[in-house]
Amino acid sequence: MEFSELIHTGWAQAELPRGPEALPLRGSLCVTLYHLLLSPGPASCVDLWLLLLRSVYFFEKQVASDSGTITLRCKDLRVLQLEIEGAEATLDIAPSIETNAWRLSEVNGDFSLCPRYPRAVIVPHVVDDDALARSARFGQGGRFPVLSYPLLPAAP
């Protein structure tokens, strides 16, 4: 299974309520394997909103006839509700961001598959350790597909 197969719908129109004193952020929601992006569009003066999926510890969806709500409870105690246009879009986006799509594997526990990877790696739940070991034989330096996020340089 390709990692990209976990994403059923890559984007939808959404609204993110931001509290009683701020207008909701409305725009295009983009779903990737690692994060959610909400872009209000080029004409807006509001910044892009980004959420790393690994910061979500609880996920809930509610669907009505023509829309849906995805509630995300984050590890930093934030609770976010995304109002998605279209029930079908909500149902397609939900499996892409559910946290049970990933698991922790210790297939590289002794660093024998890939000396550059850590002992424990995050991989898709549907890929077993045998498949990871087989794919490491074909990757340069024993590399195999894992969930990673690039480190950004420190601010000056």
Side-chain angles (χ1 to χ4, degrees):
M1 168 181 251
E2 293 289 326
F3 289 171
S4 61
E5 291 176 19
L6 296 173
I7 297 177
H8 299 278
T9 295
W11 71 274
Q13 292 300 307
E15 182 176 285
L16 176 68
R18 298 188 298 164
E21 298 183 19
L23 294 173
L25 181 59
R26 182 166 181 71
S28 297
L29 176 70
C30 178
V31 181
T32 74
L33 289 174
Y34 312 111
H35 39 5
L36 299 175
L37 299 158
L38 186 61
S39 173
S44 175
C45 62
V46 179
D47 291 334
L48 183 75
W49 176 81
L50 169 76
L51 175 70
L52 292 174
L53 290 180
R54 67 181 179 197
S55 67
V56 174
Y57 79 89
F58 180 78
F59 168 88
E60 180 182 337
K61 69 176 178 280
Q62 296 175 337
V63 179
S65 60
D66 61 345
S67 66
T69 301
I70 294 178
T71 303
L72 305 167
R73 296 185 190 274
C74 300
K75 294 175 185 174
D76 64 359
L77 303 180
R78 288 183 298 161
V79 178
L80 306 169
Q81 286 189 312
L82 290 166
E83 305 293 332
I84 310 291
E85 288 183 13
E88 186 175 331
T90 304
L91 292 172
D92 283 346
I93 289 172
S96 304
I97 61 176
E98 286 181 302
T99 56
N100 64 0
W102 302 94
R103 69 179 180 88
L104 188 65
S105 170
E106 295 186 7
V107 69
N108 198 40
D110 59 358
F111 300 102
S112 63
L113 289 181
C114 182
R116 294 178 178 229
Y117 282 3
R119 286 187 170 106
V121 292
I122 299 173
V123 298
H125 183 71
V126 297
V127 179
D128 63 19
D129 287 349
D130 290 335
L132 292 173
R134 286 192 307 271
S135 67
R137 287 186 245 151
F138 298 100
Q140 182 179 6
R143 292 188 178 102
F144 53 95
V146 297
L147 176 65
S148 64
Y149 198 78
L151 294 176
L152 299 175

